Amino acid sequence: MINKDLDKLLLALREQGCRLSGGREILLSVLAAAKGPLSAAEILISPAVKRANINRATVYRALSFLEKENIIESLRLDGDERLYHLNFHHHHHLLCTACKKIEAVHVCGLLGREEKKIAADTGFKVQRHVLEFYGLCKNCAAKKK
Amino acid sequence: MINKDLDKLLLALREQGCRLSGGREILLSVLAAAKGPLSAAEILISPAVKRANINRATVYRALSFLEKENIIESLRLDGDERLYHLNFHHHHHLLCTACKKIEAVHVCGLLGREEKKIAADTGFKVQRHVLEFYGLCKNCAAKKK
DNA sequence: TTAATTGCAAAAGTTTTGCACTGGC
DNA sequence: GCCAGTGCAAAACTTTTGCAATTAA
C-alpha cells in the first residue's frame, strides 16, 4: 500500500516533466515509510538519507521543490520546524501534547460547506485549509486520570 | 472597543497575580491595535516598541509568558515566523495568498461536534484546534478574473 | 526588600544561498 | 551536451539563554 501510493506520486512527478533524481526518490521513500509527518531534521538522520549521504541543502531544496509540485505538503505546528508528508490523501492531524504522537484524521466534508459559506459571506475564495487538533491521545488521557 | 478588550486582559493578568511591567503593557497595546496577528519582527519594529527601546529578548520572553498565561495566542502559518494575537475571542483566519491580508472569521460550532466525534471514534481528547483558510480575498479574487 | 523582569551579547537551531561540480535525460 | 540537481561552506533569520543590572510590588 505504501509502495502503491509512492509509485503513483513518482509517476505524477514524471508526468509533470520533473526529473526524478536519486535524492528525491530516497526522500520520498522516507516520507512514504513514515508513520506521521517528518521534520527536515528527522529526514536528515533517517538511515536511507544518511546512507546515501544526502546533503542538508539538498534535502531542503528537494522538499520545497516537491511541495511546489504538490507531491508533498508541509505543516507548521507548535514546534519550531516545518513538518512534511506525502500529499496523497488530504487529511488532518491529532497531536498529543503529552507524548507528541501524531495521528491522522479525516474530517473534511464539513469544511467544504463552511468554505462555501465563507465565500458567500465575505467574498473570500478559499483554496485550501489547515486544521490540526491538539490534545491527549487515548493512552495519555488514560494515564492522566 | 479595543481598549475595553485590552483592559479586560490587563485585569485578568493582575488577577492571575502577574506583574504588569511597562514592556508587557506596551506589547499588549501593540497587539490590541493590530488588525491581524503580528510576528515578533513586526512587533519589534512597531513605533511603540521602538520608542520604548524594548529589547528583542524581552519581546520574546514577554510573548511566551503571555501565551502561557492565556492572554495571547500564537499561530504558525506558512511563513517562517510565529504570529501572535490577543486571545480575546477564539477565532480563525482567512489568509490571502496574493496580498497577504489576514481577516478574522468565526466558525466554531461545527468543530465542537467534530471533536466529540473524534473522542468517540479514537479516544483522543481534543483540547484545542488550529484552523486557517488560505485563498484569495475579495479584492484579489476580483483582480484575477 | 526581593523576586520577577530586562538589556546585552552571544549562542542555538532552522532554513537559504553562491558557486563549482555532477548527473539525469 | 545541456540544464537541473547536488555538495560544501557560509550566511541569514528566528528564537533562546546566561548573567548582571533594574524594577514592580
Side-chain angles (χ1 to χ4, degrees):
Chain A
M1 35 268 198
I2 279 171
N3 291 324
K4 219 172 85 191
D5 286 9
L6 183 55
D7 286 347
K8 275 198 192 173
L9 290 176
L10 295 180
L11 196 65
L13 253 188
R14 289 183 164 285
E15 276 171 2
Q16 284 170 50
C18 300
R19 280 198 200 170
L20 184 47
S21 62
R24 284 180 191 164
E25 191 166 352
I26 291 174
L27 204 149
L28 286 171
S29 73
V30 169
L31 289 176
K35 280 185 207 129
L38 298 179
S39 65
E42 288 168 322
I43 292 169
L44 279 162
I45 60 171
S46 71
V49 168
K50 286 197 95 166
R51 214 179 310 122
N53 260 308
I54 301 175
N55 191 269
R56 197 158 19 103
T58 302
V59 167
Y60 280 106
R61 280 190 280 229
L63 288 170
S64 71
F65 172 84
L66 293 168
E67 184 174 11
K68 186 166 49 83
E69 299 295 330
N70 282 310
I71 303 295
I72 66 176
E73 211 175 356
S74 85
L75 291 174
R76 280 290 205 170
L77 303 177
D78 276 4
D80 285 325
E81 347 93 321
R82 218 182 283 261
L83 304 179
Y84 299 86
H85 61 82
L86 296 188
N87 188 15
F88 194 65
H89 297 299
H90 175 68
H91 63 271
H92 303 283
H93 299 101
L94 304 176
L95 295 109
C96 179
T97 52
C99 71
K100 310 298 173 194
K101 197 176 63 175
I102 300 179
E103 301 171 60
V105 65
H106 296 262
V107 180
C108 278
L110 76 171
L111 286 180
R113 236 175 308 137
E114 195 59 34
E115 288 171 7
K116 272 180 201 150
K117 190 158 168 291
I118 288 172
D121 291 355
T122 69
F124 189 98
K125 201 175 152 194
V126 177
Q127 291 168 331
R128 67 190 184 87
H129 58 245
V130 170
L131 170 60
E132 310 297 333
F133 297 95
Y134 294 80
L136 295 174
C137 72
K138 196 172 190 171
N139 278 344
C140 293
K143 276 183 208 159
K144 287 270 162 92
K145 265 175 192 163
Chain B
M1 33 275 198
I2 278 170
N3 292 323
K4 220 172 83 191
D5 286 7
L6 184 54
D7 285 348
K8 275 198 191 172
L9 289 176
L10 295 178
L11 196 64
L13 254 187
R14 290 183 162 286
E15 276 172 0
Q16 284 169 47
C18 300
R19 282 200 197 169
L20 185 46
S21 61
R24 285 179 192 165
E25 191 166 351
I26 291 175
L27 203 148
L28 286 171
S29 75
V30 169
L31 288 176
K35 281 185 206 130
L38 298 179
S39 65
E42 287 169 323
I43 292 169
L44 279 162
I45 60 169
S46 72
V49 168
K50 287 199 92 164
R51 214 181 308 120
N53 260 310
I54 301 174
N55 191 271
R56 199 158 17 104
T58 302
V59 167
Y60 280 105
R61 280 190 281 230
L63 288 170
S64 71
F65 172 84
L66 293 168
E67 184 172 12
K68 185 166 48 86
E69 299 295 330
N70 280 311
I71 303 294
I72 65 176
E73 210 175 358
S74 83
L75 290 176
R76 280 290 206 171
L77 302 178
D78 276 3
D80 286 324
E81 347 93 323
R82 217 181 283 263
L83 303 180
Y84 300 86
H85 60 83
L86 296 187
N87 188 16
F88 194 64
H89 298 299
H90 175 69
H91 64 272
H92 303 282
H93 299 100
L94 304 176
L95 296 107
C96 179
T97 52
C99 71
K100 310 299 174 195
K101 197 176 64 177
I102 299 179
E103 302 171 59
V105 66
H106 296 262
V107 180
C108 278
L110 77 172
L111 285 180
R113 237 174 308 137
E114 194 59 34
E115 288 170 7
K116 271 179 201 151
K117 189 158 169 291
I118 288 173
D121 291 354
T122 69
F124 189 98
K125 202 174 151 194
V126 177
Q127 292 168 331
R128 65 190 185 85
H129 58 245
V130 170
L131 170 60
E132 309 299 333
F133 297 94
Y134 293 81
L136 294 174
C137 73
K138 196 173 189 169
N139 277 343
C140 292
K143 274 184 209 159
K144 288 270 162 94
K145 268 174 192 165

